[in-house]
Amino acid sequence: MYNFKLMMMKKTIKATLLIALMAGTLNCKNEMKEVPTVTPEEMATASKVMNDWFQQEWEVELALSPMLQTYLGDKTDYGKWDDLSKEAEEAALARTNGRLAYLKDSVNPNALDEPTKLSYQLALQQQEDEISDYQYRLYNYPINQMFGTHSEVPSFLINMHQVTDKSDAEAYVSRLNGVDKLFEQAIEGLKEREAAGIMPPKFVFPRALESCRNILKGVPFENTSEYSTLLEDFQNKLTNIDLNEEDRKSLLAAAKKALLNSVQPAYEKLIAFLEDQGTRATSDHGAWKFPNGGDYYNNALARTTTTDMTADAIHELGLSEVERIHAEMTAIKNKVGYEGSLQDFFKFMKDDEQFYYPDTKEGREEYMKTATMLIDTMKSRLDELFLRKPKADMIVKAVEPFREKSAGKAFYQAPAIDGSRPGTYYANMYDIKAMPKYQMEALAYHEGIPGHHMERAMSQELEDIPMFRKIGGYTAYVEGWGLYTEFIPKEMGLYSDPYSDFGRLAMELWRACRLVVDTGIHAKKWTREEGIKYYTDNTPNAKSDAIKMVERHIVMPSQATAYKVGMNKILELRETAKTELGEKFDIREFHDVVLKNGAVPLNFLERMVNDYIARTLNDKGEILDQ
C-alpha cells in the first residue's frame, strides 16, 4: 500500500493537510473541448499565465501547512503543526470556491497547450468535487486503530523532522510544545463528529488507547531506565549534529520539559476523551450507519475508483475475480503435487514452518536482507520495462516498534522532493507469521520497485507540470499501478518458485476479496466477523491479516476497492494497445504513457493510451503529450 503514513495526512485526516490542489481522489467528468485556432505565441502566453496561477495557489496552500512543508524538505515553519480547527476548514472551502470561480470565469481552456489543459481539467474537477464533498467532511475517523493525530505526531517527528543543526532541534522542541493545542483541536473535531452521528465502532477504542499510552512510557513520563519513544528519538538526533555540551544539555532539558508540559497533558486529555466516548460506541461497522450513509459510500466509491461502478458491480467483480484466481491457484497446487482441497492447501501454506522465517531477531534480519536483495535485483532489470527511471533512491526499512502492532504489513513512503530523503519500503516485522516467504516477492515489487517507487518518485520528478500534480494522487491509479507491477515480474521470468507464484496470486486474491468485503461491510451490512470469515475462508493469509484488513475497511470506506479496479483497467488498456499495435507494441513505451503525466483518473488514462495507439499506428513520431 502506497505510503500509508502519508496517506493519513493527505486523505483520512483531511484537516491535517488542507491542500486544495493536492489531494486527488476524484472522477474527472469534464469532456475535452475542441481547441480553436490560436497562434503558438498566444498559447504559450495563456499556458504560462495558467501555470503561474497554479504555482501561486500551491504556494498559498503550502504556506498554510507546516507539515507539508516538512514533507517537502521546506523548513519555513519548521516548529509548527497544521491547523485542524473548524475555522481552518471553512477558510479552505472559501479558497476552493474562489479558485473554482476563477477557473470557470477567467480561463479559456481552448487556448492552453495540452499539458496545461490537462492540469486545468484536473484542477477544475478537483475544486468542484471538494465543494460537493464538503457535506461529508466529518465522515471519517481522525483517531483510529491504524492512524490518526495520536500516532501521526510521533511518526512525523521521528521520520519527517530531520535535525541537521541547532535550529532544527529547537524547532523539534517547539513542535513538542505545540502538541497540546494540536490535540485540543483534534478533540474538538471528534466532538463535532459525534454530534453529527459519526463515531468509530467499539473495537477501535482499545487499540487507539493503547497507542496513546505507549507514547507515555519511559523517561521523562516514568521513573525507569528506558527513554520514551520521542525522547529517545530527540536524543539520537542530537548526537548526530555538531553541538557544544552546554547546548546539548539545554536542548535535552527543553525537550523533557515540553514532553511533560505539553505532550503528556495532550495525550492524557485524549485518553480521557476516548475512554469516555468508547462507552457510547456501538458494534455497527459500516458506513450505512451514518446519516445518509448510502449516499456517502457511493460518493466515496466514485472518488476512490474514478469510475461510475456501483457497490453491487464492484461486489460482483470481486466474486468473479476470486473464482478466477482460485482456479489458477488450484493449478499450482496440482503442479507441486499437493493432494487435498484448495482450502487444505491454504492451511498447509499458513501452517508449514518452511514458509516462514524464525520468530527471532535473526529471522527478522534475514527477512529484511532478502527483501533488500529482491529490490536490488529488480533495480538491475528496469531497462527491460522503462524508458526512464527515477533519480531518487529507495531503501528497505522495518516498521518502527512503537507503531508496528497497529500498522499495516507493508507500505511505501515517497522520497523528499528535494532529494534529502530516499523512498522507503516499510516491512512490518511485528508478526513474522503474517509475512510468509512466498509473498515476499510480490510485496517488494508492489511497495518498492517497479511499484510505488517508480510511480511516486517519477511523478515528483516530472518537469513543467504544477506541483499539485507532482504530489497529488488518484487512489485507483496509484494502487492499480502497484498491483499491476506485482504481475509484471512474472512476465520477466521471475516467480520461478511455484510457491512464490502462488504468493503472487495470493496477493492478487487478497485485493479481489477486498472488493467483496468492503462493499459487503458498507453497502450490505456485513459484520466485522463476517468480513474476517470471508478472508480466512478464501485466502491463505494469517487470521491476523484478515482482522487488520477488515478493520481497515471499516475505518477507510472504499479505499481498498481501488487496487483491483485500477489494475484491471491498466491491463485492459495494455491488451488493447497490444492488439491494435501488434509488432509495434513496446512495453516500455506503454509504461511511459502510463507514468509520464503522473497520477490521473482512469478515464484520462484511457484517453492517453488511445492517443498513443493512434500516434504509433500513424507513424507520426513521438507519442502525444497530454
Side-chain angles (χ1 to χ4, degrees), residues 15 26 35 87 100 103 112 148 173 190 207 243 280 304 307 316 399 415 440 446 477 496 513 533 559 562 565 597 625:
L26 50 101
V35 180
E87 292 74 19
L100 180 61
L103 290 168
L112 304 174
V173 174
L190 296 175
R207 313 285 180 78
L243 282 177
R280 298 184 294 279
T304 293
T307 73
E316 290 303 315
V399 176
M440 286 188 71
H446 178 114
Y477 173 97
S496 56
C513 288
K533 186 175 187 302
Q559 189 273 341
V565 171
N597 287 296
D625 283 328

Side-chain angles (χ1 to χ4, degrees), residues 14 188 237 283 301 392 476 503 506:
K14 189 174 180 182
E188 285 304 308
K237 286 174 176 174
S283 294
L301 288 174

Side-chain angles (χ1 to χ4, degrees), residues 266-277:
Y267 275 93
E268 288 175 343
K269 290 173 191 174
L270 181 59
I271 287 168
F273 176 82
L274 293 176
E275 287 176 335
D276 177 59
Q277 189 179 60

Side-chain angles (χ1 to χ4, degrees), residues 38-54 102 106-113 116-117 120:
V38 294
T39 67
E41 292 77 13
E42 290 171 335
M43 183 171 288
T45 298
S47 298
K48 183 179 186 305
V49 169
M50 186 78 267
N51 282 300
D52 286 347
W53 184 83
F54 287 137
Y102 174 82
S106 302
V107 179
N108 174 16
N110 295 331
L112 304 174
D113 59 32
T116 308
K117 185 185 293 184
Y120 169 85

